[in-house]
Short mmCIF file of all heavy atoms in Angstrom, two decimals:
data_model
loop_
_atom_site.label_atom_id
_atom_site.label_comp_id
_atom_site.label_asym_id
_atom_site.label_seq_id
_atom_site.Cartn_x
_atom_site.Cartn_y
_atom_site.Cartn_z
N PHE A 128 -135.03 311.06 -91.64
CA PHE A 128 -136.45 310.92 -91.32
C PHE A 128 -137.19 310.42 -92.55
O PHE A 128 -136.58 310.23 -93.62
CB PHE A 128 -137.05 312.21 -90.76
CG PHE A 128 -136.91 313.42 -91.64
CD1 PHE A 128 -137.90 313.78 -92.55
CD2 PHE A 128 -135.78 314.25 -91.54
CE1 PHE A 128 -137.79 314.90 -93.34
CE2 PHE A 128 -135.66 315.37 -92.32
CZ PHE A 128 -136.65 315.70 -93.23
N GLU A 129 -138.47 310.17 -92.42
CA GLU A 129 -139.25 309.53 -93.47
C GLU A 129 -139.13 310.27 -94.79
O GLU A 129 -139.16 311.50 -94.84
CB GLU A 129 -140.73 309.46 -93.05
CG GLU A 129 -141.57 308.62 -93.99
CD GLU A 129 -142.99 308.42 -93.46
OE1 GLU A 129 -143.25 308.81 -92.31
OE2 GLU A 129 -143.82 307.88 -94.22
N GLY A 130 -138.96 309.50 -95.85
CA GLY A 130 -138.81 310.10 -97.17
C GLY A 130 -137.37 310.40 -97.52
O GLY A 130 -137.09 310.99 -98.57
N GLY A 131 -136.44 310.01 -96.65
CA GLY A 131 -135.03 310.23 -96.96
C GLY A 131 -134.49 311.57 -96.54
O GLY A 131 -133.36 311.92 -96.90
N GLY A 132 -135.26 312.36 -95.81
CA GLY A 132 -134.77 313.66 -95.35
C GLY A 132 -133.59 313.50 -94.42
O GLY A 132 -133.50 312.54 -93.64
N LEU A 133 -132.67 314.44 -94.47
CA LEU A 133 -131.44 314.35 -93.69
C LEU A 133 -131.63 314.90 -92.28
O LEU A 133 -132.00 316.05 -92.09
CB LEU A 133 -130.32 315.13 -94.38
CG LEU A 133 -128.94 315.02 -93.73
CD1 LEU A 133 -128.37 313.63 -93.92
CD2 LEU A 133 -128.00 316.09 -94.28
N LEU A 134 -131.35 314.05 -91.27
CA LEU A 134 -131.32 314.50 -89.88
C LEU A 134 -129.91 314.81 -89.42
O LEU A 134 -129.70 315.70 -88.59
CB LEU A 134 -131.92 313.42 -88.95
CG LEU A 134 -133.41 313.47 -88.69
CD1 LEU A 134 -133.81 312.40 -87.69
CD2 LEU A 134 -133.82 314.84 -88.16
N ALA A 135 -128.93 314.08 -89.93
CA ALA A 135 -127.54 314.35 -89.56
C ALA A 135 -126.63 313.67 -90.56
O ALA A 135 -126.92 312.59 -91.06
CB ALA A 135 -127.24 313.86 -88.15
N GLY A 136 -125.50 314.33 -90.83
CA GLY A 136 -124.50 313.76 -91.71
C GLY A 136 -123.20 314.53 -91.62
O GLY A 136 -123.18 315.69 -91.18
N VAL A 137 -122.12 313.90 -92.05
CA VAL A 137 -120.81 314.55 -92.05
C VAL A 137 -120.25 314.47 -93.46
O VAL A 137 -120.37 313.44 -94.13
CB VAL A 137 -119.87 313.90 -91.01
CG1 VAL A 137 -119.60 312.44 -91.33
CG2 VAL A 137 -118.57 314.67 -90.90
N ARG A 138 -119.66 315.57 -93.93
CA ARG A 138 -119.17 315.62 -95.31
C ARG A 138 -117.92 316.48 -95.39
O ARG A 138 -117.65 317.32 -94.51
CB ARG A 138 -120.24 316.20 -96.25
CG ARG A 138 -120.58 317.65 -95.97
CD ARG A 138 -121.80 318.11 -96.75
NE ARG A 138 -121.57 318.18 -98.18
CZ ARG A 138 -121.29 319.32 -98.83
NH1 ARG A 138 -121.21 320.46 -98.17
NH2 ARG A 138 -121.12 319.31 -100.12
N THR A 139 -117.16 316.28 -96.45
CA THR A 139 -115.98 317.08 -96.74
C THR A 139 -116.37 318.21 -97.67
O THR A 139 -117.13 318.02 -98.63
CB THR A 139 -114.90 316.21 -97.39
OG1 THR A 139 -114.51 315.17 -96.48
CG2 THR A 139 -113.67 317.04 -97.74
N LEU A 140 -115.85 319.41 -97.40
CA LEU A 140 -116.05 320.57 -98.27
C LEU A 140 -114.71 321.27 -98.38
O LEU A 140 -114.20 321.81 -97.38
CB LEU A 140 -117.11 321.51 -97.69
CG LEU A 140 -117.42 322.74 -98.55
CD1 LEU A 140 -118.06 322.33 -99.88
CD2 LEU A 140 -118.36 323.70 -97.80
N GLY A 141 -114.13 321.26 -99.57
CA GLY A 141 -112.79 321.81 -99.71
C GLY A 141 -111.81 321.00 -98.88
O GLY A 141 -111.74 319.78 -98.97
N GLU A 142 -111.05 321.69 -98.02
CA GLU A 142 -110.09 321.03 -97.15
C GLU A 142 -110.67 320.72 -95.77
O GLU A 142 -109.99 320.13 -94.93
CB GLU A 142 -108.85 321.92 -96.98
CG GLU A 142 -108.11 322.19 -98.27
CD GLU A 142 -107.58 320.92 -98.91
OE1 GLU A 142 -107.04 320.08 -98.17
OE2 GLU A 142 -107.72 320.78 -100.14
N GLY A 143 -111.91 321.15 -95.52
CA GLY A 143 -112.50 320.98 -94.20
C GLY A 143 -113.64 319.99 -94.18
O GLY A 143 -113.94 319.32 -95.17
N LYS A 144 -114.30 319.91 -93.01
CA LYS A 144 -115.43 319.01 -92.84
C LYS A 144 -116.56 319.72 -92.13
O LYS A 144 -116.33 320.61 -91.30
CB LYS A 144 -115.01 317.78 -92.02
CG LYS A 144 -114.14 316.79 -92.77
CD LYS A 144 -113.89 315.54 -91.94
CE LYS A 144 -113.07 314.53 -92.72
NZ LYS A 144 -112.80 313.31 -91.91
N VAL A 145 -117.79 319.29 -92.44
CA VAL A 145 -118.99 319.83 -91.82
C VAL A 145 -119.84 318.69 -91.28
O VAL A 145 -120.18 317.76 -92.02
CB VAL A 145 -119.83 320.66 -92.81
CG1 VAL A 145 -121.09 321.20 -92.11
CG2 VAL A 145 -119.02 321.79 -93.41
N LEU A 146 -120.16 318.76 -89.99
CA LEU A 146 -121.16 317.88 -89.39
C LEU A 146 -122.44 318.71 -89.28
O LEU A 146 -122.49 319.68 -88.53
CB LEU A 146 -120.71 317.41 -88.01
CG LEU A 146 -121.77 316.66 -87.18
CD1 LEU A 146 -122.20 315.37 -87.87
CD2 LEU A 146 -121.27 316.38 -85.77
N PHE A 147 -123.46 318.34 -90.05
CA PHE A 147 -124.75 319.04 -90.02
C PHE A 147 -125.72 318.20 -89.21
O PHE A 147 -125.91 317.01 -89.48
CB PHE A 147 -125.28 319.25 -91.42
CG PHE A 147 -126.67 319.86 -91.47
CD1 PHE A 147 -126.94 321.06 -90.83
CD2 PHE A 147 -127.70 319.22 -92.14
CE1 PHE A 147 -128.22 321.62 -90.87
CE2 PHE A 147 -128.97 319.77 -92.20
CZ PHE A 147 -129.23 320.97 -91.55
N VAL A 148 -126.33 318.80 -88.19
CA VAL A 148 -127.30 318.11 -87.34
C VAL A 148 -128.62 318.87 -87.41
O VAL A 148 -128.73 319.99 -86.90
CB VAL A 148 -126.81 318.01 -85.88
CG1 VAL A 148 -127.81 317.20 -85.06
CG2 VAL A 148 -125.43 317.37 -85.81
N ASN A 149 -129.59 318.27 -88.04
CA ASN A 149 -130.90 318.87 -88.26
C ASN A 149 -131.84 318.55 -87.08
O ASN A 149 -132.96 318.10 -87.26
CB ASN A 149 -131.47 318.36 -89.59
CG ASN A 149 -132.78 319.01 -90.00
OD1 ASN A 149 -133.20 320.01 -89.42
ND2 ASN A 149 -133.42 318.44 -90.99
N LEU A 150 -131.32 318.75 -85.88
CA LEU A 150 -132.07 318.56 -84.64
C LEU A 150 -131.78 319.76 -83.73
O LEU A 150 -130.63 320.19 -83.65
CB LEU A 150 -131.64 317.28 -83.92
CG LEU A 150 -131.94 315.94 -84.56
CD1 LEU A 150 -131.16 314.83 -83.86
CD2 LEU A 150 -133.44 315.64 -84.48
N PRO A 151 -132.77 320.28 -83.04
CA PRO A 151 -132.54 321.44 -82.16
C PRO A 151 -131.89 321.02 -80.85
O PRO A 151 -132.53 320.95 -79.79
CB PRO A 151 -133.95 322.00 -81.96
CG PRO A 151 -134.85 320.79 -82.05
CD PRO A 151 -134.20 319.88 -83.07
N LEU A 152 -130.61 320.73 -80.89
CA LEU A 152 -129.93 320.08 -79.77
C LEU A 152 -129.99 320.90 -78.49
O LEU A 152 -130.25 320.36 -77.41
CB LEU A 152 -128.47 319.80 -80.15
CG LEU A 152 -128.26 318.89 -81.36
CD1 LEU A 152 -126.77 318.72 -81.64
CD2 LEU A 152 -128.93 317.54 -81.16
N GLY A 153 -129.71 322.21 -78.59
CA GLY A 153 -129.76 323.04 -77.39
C GLY A 153 -131.16 323.18 -76.84
O GLY A 153 -131.37 323.12 -75.62
N TYR A 154 -132.12 323.35 -77.72
CA TYR A 154 -133.53 323.44 -77.31
C TYR A 154 -133.94 322.18 -76.55
O TYR A 154 -134.59 322.25 -75.50
CB TYR A 154 -134.38 323.63 -78.56
CG TYR A 154 -135.89 323.57 -78.34
CD1 TYR A 154 -136.61 324.72 -78.04
CD2 TYR A 154 -136.57 322.36 -78.46
CE1 TYR A 154 -137.98 324.66 -77.85
CE2 TYR A 154 -137.94 322.29 -78.27
CZ TYR A 154 -138.65 323.44 -77.96
OH TYR A 154 -140.01 323.38 -77.77
#
């Protein structure tokens, strides 16, 4: 979103991965 804020991204942490979604998907 505006200003470079993160709405969604996927990254590696250790041996695993995290998909972070900054949207209220269920809502």
Side-chain angles (χ1 to χ4, degrees):
F128 57 93
E129 189 173 351
L133 184 71
L134 270 184
V137 62
R138 66 190 292 261
T139 298
L140 182 65
E142 299 299 316
K144 287 185 178 179
V145 180
L146 171 63
F147 175 55
V148 184
N149 186 11
L150 293 167
L152 300 179
Y154 173 90

